[in-house]
Amino acid sequence: MPEAAPLHIAFLLFPDVTQLDLTGPAQVLSRLGNAKLDLVAKTRDPVPTDAQFPLLPTATFAEVPRTDILCIPGGFGTVAVMEDAETLAWVRRAAASATWVTSVCTGSLVLAAAGLLTGYRAACHWASREQLAFFGAEPVAGRVVFDRNRVTGGGVTAGIDFALALTAKIRGEDHAKFVQLSLEYDPAPPFDSGAPERADAATLARYRAMVEKFAPGRVDKVRAIAARLAETASDG
Amino acid sequence: MPEAAPLHIAFLLFPDVTQLDLTGPAQVLSRLGNAKLDLVAKTRDPVPTDAQFPLLPTATFAEVPRTDILCIPGGFGTVAVMEDAETLAWVRRAAASATWVTSVCTGSLVLAAAGLLTGYRAACHWASREQLAFFGAEPVAGRVVFDRNRVTGGGVTAGIDFALALTAKIRGEDHAKFVQLSLEYDPAPPFDSGAPERADAATLARYRAMVEKFAPGRVDKVRAIAARLAETASDG
């Protein structure tokens, strides 16, 4: 088979990322063939994740001025990122040249805060999905949402479905099926509790209490960020 | 709800690990509650993975003499681990005190080479599953296989199913359902190509060619390792 066109993939790495938002799709996309993958952060220092181990950046913002596939993972750390001018500036710069501008989980809120989802349909973690509307994006309840060159995944594990769908778009369905087989991606969840529509009420209540404990006032913070952005835009 | 009993979780980290074998279940198990999770390696130096970024150990073998849950991920690096006396010695020592001795993907071959699966039923990546028999383990085609305190997962993404099943066993089904909802684990693979029984012939052939390219003679090497172990055992 002919050699595939070379590609660069850049994942944004930031403190308190949900590490599987990144490591799931990175596993899939690392098998695109003829693709170089970087985890990009402000510095090369280890970055703490939500799972008690750090991830190590492979490049800094300065070292990755452009990429073909930009992917923003999510996590409780996203609120800080949405207020961080340096990170948002890199996201905008990388997105400007990227063929695909993508996210997983609440990473779509970072894209939105960078002004990159206004007027786009997008996915997000189910519990934060409606917050996309604060930024003029249209929330969609889906595992993978394509809208022009924006490709967004739902919460955490949706990153694997997202990355396989993107693989098919870029390298063809046969290649995506090969990657799926290599990862034995034939999921068999032991319970049917992965979506809010099917989780029981006690599980839903417990989830919402956990968010309020670990990220108190999150929705209000995101709403305030969106309001400030709208003001800045109307001032400009 | 009463505080859950404290637990320690140790993932073995080694060069050329398939990183999602580790990062998938680590994401799930990091949410067990009152649990400390370590990535354990020979030294604290970054460890290269199969996905173009390293993982950073949080502890060395010497620093983790015991654990409650031992988990061995897989990958092309497993063959070298199966011949590495220092790593196998740590695996045996950690397993001796562990409540749960577990693996994902070809990590079960490392457990087998450490003598920990003899007479046990176990899962493995589909393409390497039969190699368990070289070590006196019984290969089982399953995403998650429990046999006494051995819990083994199938290939790569099966680690998520494995970790949710183990979460249910340790902290109860309600807790596992909560973790599943938090990770939006409601998978929707874009293709039906995740198991060899359903992948088409061309995809299967392509997978086997890839293994032969990146891990030439793998089956023969594993068979030879098992034969040497059997000799040593009969000499002893």
Side-chain angles (χ1 to χ4, degrees), chain B residues 89-172:
Chain B
W90 179 79
V91 168
R92 280 190 207 98
R93 196 166 69 236
S97 64
T99 309
W100 300 100
V101 175
T102 78
S103 64
V104 174
C105 196
T106 48
S108 60
L109 291 171
V110 174
L111 287 181
L116 295 165
L117 286 183
T118 313
Y120 285 84
R121 303 168 73 246
C124 191
H125 190 286
W126 64 267
S128 299
R129 192 186 290 144
E130 297 308 319
Q131 296 166 35
L132 284 167
F134 300 157
F135 300 89
E138 182 188 333
V140 177
R143 297 284 287 178
V144 189
V145 174
F146 282 79
D147 185 352
R148 289 155 280 175
N149 81 331
R150 303 322 197 241
V151 195
T152 51
V156 198
T157 55
I160 297 171
D161 299 325
F162 146 82
L164 282 170
L166 186 60
T167 296
K169 194 70 95 172
I170 294 173
R171 299 295 201 208

Side-chain angles (χ1 to χ4, degrees), chain A residues 1 18-20 22-24 26-27 30-31 35-37 39 46 50-56 58 124-126 129 143 154-158 160-161 164-165 168 173-178 180-196 198-200 203-204 206-207 210, chain B residues 1 18-20 22-24 26-27 30-31 35-37 39 46 50-56 58 124-126 129 143 154-158 160-161 164-165 168 173-178 180-196 198-200 203-204 206-207 210:
Chain A
M1 119 161 74
T18 295
Q19 64 84 23
L20 187 56
L22 185 158
T23 53
Q27 187 70 55
S30 74
R31 299 187 179 190
K36 181 169 188 313
L37 184 149
L39 311 189
D50 71 328
Q52 300 189 43
F53 61 88
L55 287 173
L56 200 57
T58 61
C124 191
H125 189 287
W126 63 266
R129 192 185 292 146
R143 298 284 287 176
V156 199
T157 55
I160 297 172
D161 299 326
L164 282 170
E173 288 199 3
D174 284 352
H175 188 79
K177 288 177 178 174
F178 160 74
Q180 185 180 358
L181 179 64
S182 78
L183 301 174
E184 204 170 327
Y185 188 46
D186 186 29
F191 308 103
D192 187 16
S193 180
R198 293 194 305 283
D200 56 52
T203 303
L204 272 166
R206 197 170 158 193
Y207 179 80
M210 184 274 289
Chain B
M1 120 161 67
T18 296
Q19 63 84 21
L20 187 57
L22 185 158
T23 53
Q27 187 69 56
S30 74
R31 300 186 178 190
K36 180 171 188 314
L37 185 150
L39 311 190
D50 71 328
Q52 301 189 43
F53 62 89
L55 287 173
L56 200 57
T58 61
C124 191
H125 190 286
W126 64 267
R129 192 186 290 144
R143 297 284 287 178
V156 198
T157 55
I160 297 171
D161 299 325
L164 282 170
E173 289 199 3
D174 285 351
H175 189 79
K177 288 177 180 176
F178 160 73
Q180 184 180 357
L181 179 63
S182 78
L183 301 174
E184 205 170 326
Y185 188 47
D186 186 28
F191 309 103
D192 187 15
S193 181
R198 293 196 304 284
D200 55 52
T203 303
L204 272 165
R206 197 170 157 193
Y207 180 80
M210 184 273 290

Side-chain angles (χ1 to χ4, degrees), chain A residues 3-94:
Chain A
E3 174 117 73
L7 285 173
H8 185 266
I9 307 159
F11 281 87
L12 175 68
L13 185 51
F14 54 85
D16 298 322
V17 65
T18 295
Q19 64 84 23
L20 187 56
D21 287 8
L22 185 158
T23 53
Q27 187 70 55
V28 175
L29 297 179
S30 74
R31 299 187 179 190
L32 274 176
N34 204 13
K36 181 169 188 313
L37 184 149
D38 277 310
L39 311 189
V40 188
K42 284 187 182 181
T43 73
R44 295 273 195 139
D45 293 337
V47 176
T49 74
D50 71 328
Q52 300 189 43
F53 61 88
L55 287 173
L56 200 57
T58 61
T60 63
F61 292 164
E63 290 168 332
V64 181
R66 67 160 305 286
T67 187
D68 298 299
I69 303 172
L70 172 67
C71 186
I72 316 290
F76 284 141
T78 48
V79 175
V81 171
M82 292 164 79
E83 301 192 279
D84 184 78
E86 181 186 352
T87 303
L88 292 181
W90 179 78
V91 168
R92 281 190 208 98
R93 195 167 69 236

Side-chain angles (χ1 to χ4, degrees), chain B residues 12 14-18 21 42 72-88 104-114 124 127-128 131 134-135 211-212 214-226 228-229:
Chain B
L12 175 68
F14 55 84
D16 298 322
V17 66
T18 296
D21 288 10
K42 285 187 180 181
I72 316 289
F76 285 140
T78 48
V79 174
V81 172
M82 293 163 79
E83 302 192 279
D84 184 78
E86 182 186 353
T87 303
L88 293 181
V104 174
C105 196
T106 48
S108 60
L109 291 171
V110 174
L111 287 181
C124 191
S128 299
Q131 296 166 35
F134 300 157
F135 300 89
V211 171
E212 200 46 42
F214 289 103
R218 187 184 158 98
V219 178
D220 292 338
K221 283 180 192 166
V222 173
R223 190 186 284 111
I225 291 167
R228 281 200 300 279
L229 281 172

